[in-house]
Amino acid sequence: MGGICILDYDMANLRSVQKGFARVGFESRIIREASEVRGADRLVLPGVGAFRDAVATLRARGLDEPILRHIEAGRPFLGICLGLQLLFEVGFEDGEHAGLGVFAGKVVRFDVDRTKGLKVPHMGWNQLIVKRRGPLLDGIDDGANVYFVHGYHALPAEASIIATTSDYGGEFVSSVWKDNVHATQFHPEKSQAVGLRILENFARL
């Protein structure tokens, strides 16, 4: 038990995250059970897909409480893409759905297709604007490019948790950080050298 654990709840390509850690010299395990979450030293919650389905799956499989206990215990946590969005109180994809409530705030759809003529989902490379330089950003330059695939974005109630923003027809939150909780809207495992450095930084926490 222990080590870096990547939670499989049928909502992500876990192997690419695992390969990312391996490329920077760290072993990680893919886990599925609540008991394994409780034994994790570092927990990664990746995700691709719908907020509603993801949070329903976590609750149905009894994974929500172990995730919250992991965070409350002060152990390192990394949310990726949907794994960031699930940390907030509520998401508005296919209705209104309660999230894990780690952070106050909500997750809303981009409106740039209606207001700016841009495509939704936001897909491709974009720059990071550093607001607060937490440990995950060690060695990462302001303006570094990372890879996104998302149609929704978080609106934190507290600006103090925002680590980076990016711009897609307007500024949006691209990563958050508070204490032991780190989360990126972008995909480190798809972001080449910059993303690998971020995974390495997390592995070294």
Side-chain angles (χ1 to χ4, degrees):
M1 298 294 285
I4 301 169
C5 295
I6 305 166
L7 184 57
D8 178 7
Y9 60 111
D10 302 321
M11 298 293 290
N13 179 2
L14 308 168
R15 296 297 176 188
S16 59
V17 179
Q18 188 175 41
K19 287 177 181 177
F21 281 116
R23 286 189 63 185
V24 293
F26 291 89
E27 291 186 5
S28 58
R29 295 186 302 116
I30 293 173
I31 62 172
R32 289 185 59 86
E33 305 300 327
S35 59
E36 295 175 301
V37 174
R38 287 189 284 268
D41 294 326
R42 292 169 180 80
L43 182 63
V44 182
L45 181 67
V48 175
F51 188 105
R52 178 191 65 183
D53 297 341
V55 77
T57 299
L58 290 177
R59 292 194 170 109
R61 289 176 47 188
L63 295 168
D64 53 335
E65 287 301 321
I67 291 170
L68 294 175
R69 299 296 85 79
H70 176 96
I71 289 171
E72 289 171 0
R75 295 194 292 270
F77 174 93
L78 174 61
I80 297 174
C81 195
L82 184 58
L84 174 148
Q85 297 176 8
L86 293 170
L87 296 173
F88 287 86
E89 292 173 306
V90 61
F92 289 93
E93 188 170 4
D94 298 323
E96 182 176 339
H97 307 282
L100 296 175
V102 175
F103 296 133
K106 57 189 178 180
V107 177
V108 300
R109 186 185 183 277
F110 275 115
D111 65 358
V112 294
D113 52 343
R114 295 187 291 268
T115 61
K116 302 290 179 64
L118 297 173
K119 291 183 178 179
V120 176
H122 168 221
M123 184 180 301
W125 295 89
N126 210 326
Q127 291 184 315
L128 295 178
I129 303 163
V130 176
K131 301 294 187 180
R132 294 171 58 241
R133 187 169 287 281
L136 230 59
L137 297 178
D138 182 50
I140 303 299
D141 293 334
D142 196 14
N145 282 290
V146 291
Y147 190 81
F148 292 86
V149 183
H150 63 123
Y152 286 73
H153 63 102
L155 296 175
E158 298 177 7
S160 61
I161 70 167
I162 299 171
T164 65
T165 60
S166 298
D167 189 282
Y168 188 63
E171 196 172 25
F172 70 91
V173 173
S174 51
S175 70
V176 296
W177 163 53
K178 183 177 181 181
D179 302 327
N180 57 310
V181 181
H182 310 262
T184 66
Q185 183 60 69
F186 56 90
H187 288 269
E189 75 280 9
K190 296 180 180 179
S191 298
Q192 300 181 358
V194 171
L196 291 176
R197 178 59 186 264
I198 287 171
L199 293 179
E200 181 179 1
N201 288 342
F202 177 74
R204 294 187 183 280
L205 291 175

